[in-house]
Amino acid sequence: MTKENENSVLLVGATGYLGSLVAAGLLCEGYRIVAPLRQSHTRQSFINKLKSDLAAEEVNAEIDFDRLTTISLPPVQEIPDLTAELHALGVNEIIHCAGSVDYFDTEKLKAVNIDLTNSLLTLGKQLQIKRFAYLSTAFSSGFIDGLVREILHQQQPKADPTEYTKSKREAEALVSNSGLPFLIIRPSIVIGDSRKGHYNGKPYGLYQLWAAFVKFLCGHSRNVFHFIAPSEKLHLIHQDAFKAGFIAACKQLPDNSIVHLTSRHETLPTFVELVQQWSAIWDVKEVHCYKDASEIPATGIDRRTKMWLDFTAVNTDIAAHPWQFQTAGLDQLRLAGLKFRDVTLDTVRVCQDHFIAHSQRAQALLKKDKDGLSAAAKSANSNIPKKIASGVS
Ligand SMILES: NC(=O)c1ccc[n+]([C@@H]2O[C@H](COP(=O)([O-])OP(=O)(O)OC[C@H]3O[C@@H](n4cnc5c(N)ncnc54)[C@H](OP(=O)(O)O)[C@@H]3O)[C@@H](O)[C@H]2O)c1
C-alpha cells in the first residue's frame, strides 16, 4: 500500500459507513487519499464526519487532513476521463467501497455495483494501478452448501438471498477477471463498536430490526411477541474489527487475495439468543420464536404482528442459512498481530444498550411505561422473559 511522500490511494465510497471507517483508518496510518465526492457532500462535511467518527472512538491522534484530496465524482461513464488528473495526484491504487445494499432495486444495483465497478476498473487500467481493492460481502456466494471458500465463487448458488448478493458476486467476477492485481474483502454484517457500542451506519440488519420493533410494536401490548428467529449463529462483526481487519488486509495480504472478515463461529450468538436478550428489555411476558415463515401459525396473530413478521422476513431468511466461512486470510492476519474482537452475546449487548440509550422513541417508551422503566433498570439476566417458546404455540 502507498505511504506518505509516495503515492495516493483513490478511495471511492469514502463517505459511506464502511468507506469512512476505511478513510479514517488510512489517514491515521499516514496514507494519502484522493476521495471523489458526490454532490451532497463537501470536503468540510466529509472531514467533519471523519472527525466525529474518530472522536466517538476516542482516537486522539492528530490527523493531517492535508493528506486528503477531495474531487467531484463525475457521472459513471466519465470516470475514466479522470485519468490525467488522478495521475497528476499520484494515484496508483484504488479502493472501492461504494455500493448499494438495496435488496431488490435491480436498476440501482446495476448502476452502483456493476456499472460503477466497471468504470473504476477501466480507470484503474488506464492509471496502471498496483492494485484494485474491492469491498464485497461475505454473503456474495448466495445460498450454497458447506464452506464458503476464499476464492472466486465457482458455482451458481441454489438461490440468492436477494438481488444484492447476486450483484456483489457479479462485481467480484468483474474485478478478478479485469487483469488488474486485486484484493476482495468480504465482511459479514457490520454492527457497532465493540467497546462503546456506537454505530455510524444506516439502520440495516440488527439496527433495522431494533428500530422497527420500537416503531411498530412497542406502543402496543407487551404480553406476547413473535419473531422469526432461526437457531443458527448470526454472522456479525464489530465496526472496529472491520476497520482493523480491512486495513491489515490491504497492508499485508498478497495480490489476488480474497478474505472473509467474520467473527469466530464459536463466539457468535444465535438469532434466538439475540431475540431473548432484546426482549428482556421490554418486560415481555411471552416470546414466540419461529424457525422460518412456514412455522408462523395461520390464526391467532394480529395484523400488526403479521406486518412485523413480513417486514423482517428477508433478513431472517439470510440468517436461517447455516453459513460457514473459510477464514484462512483472517487467521493469518491475527497470527501476524491483528486485534480483531469477535462478536459475542455480551458485545452485542453493548451495541444494544447504546442503541436504546440513543433512541428517543425507545427512551420515551421506557419512560412512559412504568413496567418498562423498572425493567430497564434491571439487569438483562434477571429479566429473561417468563416464557420463550419455539415454533407454534
Ligand atoms: N454495512 C454492512 O454491514 C456491510 C457488510 C458487508 C458488506 N458491505 C458492503 O459495503 C459496501 C458499502 O456499505 P455501507 O454500509 O458503507 O453503505 P453506505 O453507508 O450506504 O455507503 C455507500 C457508499 O457508496 C456511495 N455510492 C452509492 N451510490 C453511488 C453511486 N451511484 N455512485 C457513486 N457512489 C455511490 C455512497 O455515496 P454517498 O455518500 O454520496 O451516498 C457511499 O459513499 C456495500 O457495497 C456492501 O455490499 C456492507
Side-chain angles (χ1 to χ4, degrees):
M1 189 183 279
T2 51
K3 273 270 189 185
E4 192 175 13
N5 300 328
E6 293 169 20
N7 296 300
S8 303
V9 175
L10 181 74
L11 178 59
V12 184
T15 50
Y17 170 39
L18 299 187
S20 60
L21 290 169
V22 172
L26 293 175
L27 286 168
C28 284
E29 294 262 329
Y31 294 103
R32 291 162 64 91
I33 297 176
V34 178
L37 307 183
R38 295 205 291 175
Q39 269 182 350
S40 51
H41 306 277
T42 63
R43 175 183 169 77
Q44 197 51 51
S45 70
F46 178 47
I47 289 177
N48 292 346
K49 176 171 168 41
L50 294 179
K51 282 183 176 168
S52 92
D53 289 356
L54 288 165
E57 267 187 78
E58 295 177 7
V59 173
N60 298 317
E62 274 294 306
I63 307 247
D64 177 6
F65 285 102
D66 287 346
R67 289 199 308 266
L68 169 68
T69 303
T70 54
I71 59 170
S72 295
L73 183 70
V76 69
Q77 65 278 10
E78 292 170 26
I79 286 175
D81 301 344
L82 292 172
T83 303
E85 183 183 353
L86 295 178
H87 186 70
L89 287 167
V91 168
N92 70 350
E93 193 168 352
I94 294 177
I95 298 182
H96 175 17
C97 292
S100 167
V101 294
D102 194 295
Y103 281 173
F104 303 109
D105 185 341
T106 47
E107 266 180 39
K108 190 170 177 194
L109 289 168
K110 180 177 176 309
V112 189
N113 295 349
I114 305 299
D115 297 345
L116 178 63
T117 304
N118 254 327
S119 201
L120 290 170
L121 288 167
T122 304
L123 174 69
K125 285 180 213 169
Q126 291 178 182
L127 281 167
Q128 298 182 319
I129 54 168
K130 290 195 300 194
R131 186 161 70 176
F132 189 100
Y134 179 59
L135 173 58
S136 186
T137 164
F139 308 103
S140 60
S141 62
F143 292 135
I144 58 170
D145 291 330
L147 189 69
V148 181
R149 298 181 60 210
E150 289 173 311
I151 54 171
L152 194 65
H153 301 304
Q154 310 287 332
Q155 62 185 101
Q156 278 305 312
K158 288 189 287 193
D160 268 292
T162 61
E163 288 296 317
Y164 156 70
T165 53
K166 194 172 160 198
S167 72
K168 295 298 279 192
R169 185 166 65 253
E170 285 170 16
E172 285 188 9
L174 292 174
V175 171
S176 67
N177 294 330
S178 67
L180 289 170
F182 67 87
L183 170 66
I184 293 174
I185 299 181
R186 295 179 181 154
S188 57
I189 304 160
V190 185
I191 60 168
D193 185 275
S194 65
R195 302 149 296 184
K196 304 262 173 193
H198 58 272
Y199 173 72
N200 314 339
K202 292 176 181 158
Y204 296 140
L206 265 190
Y207 292 85
Q208 188 181 38
L209 191 81
W210 292 340
F213 183 94
V214 170
K215 189 169 173 193
F216 290 126
L217 291 180
C218 267
H220 296 259
S221 156
R222 297 188 190 180
N223 287 335
V224 185
F225 282 150
H226 300 261
F227 291 88
I228 302 176
S231 51
E232 297 297 333
K233 304 254 186 178
L234 189 62
H235 281 274
L236 305 169
I237 53 165
H238 286 294
Q239 62 177 47
D240 45 318
F242 164 80
K243 181 174 166 182
F246 193 102
I247 302 291
C250 287
K251 283 169 77 174
Q252 294 171 40
L253 293 182
D255 285 347
N256 305 336
S257 296
I258 298 182
V259 58
H260 289 140
L261 294 183
T262 55
S263 296
R264 285 190 178 94
H265 197 266
E266 56 272 25
T267 73
L268 285 169
T270 64
F271 211 123
V272 173
E273 288 170 325
L274 293 172
V275 161
Q276 203 169 334
Q277 180 163 262
W278 171 255
S279 304
I281 295 169
W282 306 101
D283 201 22
V284 183
K285 305 272 179 304
E286 250 180 66
V287 177
H288 292 268
C289 292
Y290 308 107
K291 197 168 69 204
D292 56 41
S294 71
E295 278 198 348
I296 300 169
T299 55
I301 293 194
D302 60 45
R303 201 178 61 87
R304 196 174 183 83
T305 305
K306 276 207 179 100
M307 274 170 58
W308 153 257
L309 290 168
D310 282 351
F311 178 75
T312 55
V314 176
N315 279 334
T316 45
D317 208 23
I318 297 174
H321 184 76
W323 299 97
Q324 288 175 56
F325 299 106
Q326 184 184 20
T327 55
L330 181 55
D331 295 345
Q332 187 186 326
L333 295 172
R334 287 191 205 246
L335 269 176
L338 169 67
K339 301 263 180 295
F340 188 97
R341 191 158 179 213
D342 293 306
V343 166
T344 66
L345 192 57
D346 286 342
T347 64
V348 176
R349 174 79 195 191
V350 172
C351 298
Q352 185 181 290
D353 286 348
H354 190 277
F355 172 84
I356 299 275
H358 292 81
S359 159
Q360 286 183 353
R361 213 186 279 264
Q363 285 303 313
L365 285 165
L366 287 171
K367 246 189 216 130
K368 251 194 225 164
D369 186 306
K370 272 188 193 161
D371 290 344
L373 192 62
S374 60
K378 291 179 200 166
S379 81
N381 287 342
S382 61
N383 195 20
I384 296 292
K386 285 39 171 198
K387 180 180 170 191
I388 298 279
S390 206
V392 182
S393 51

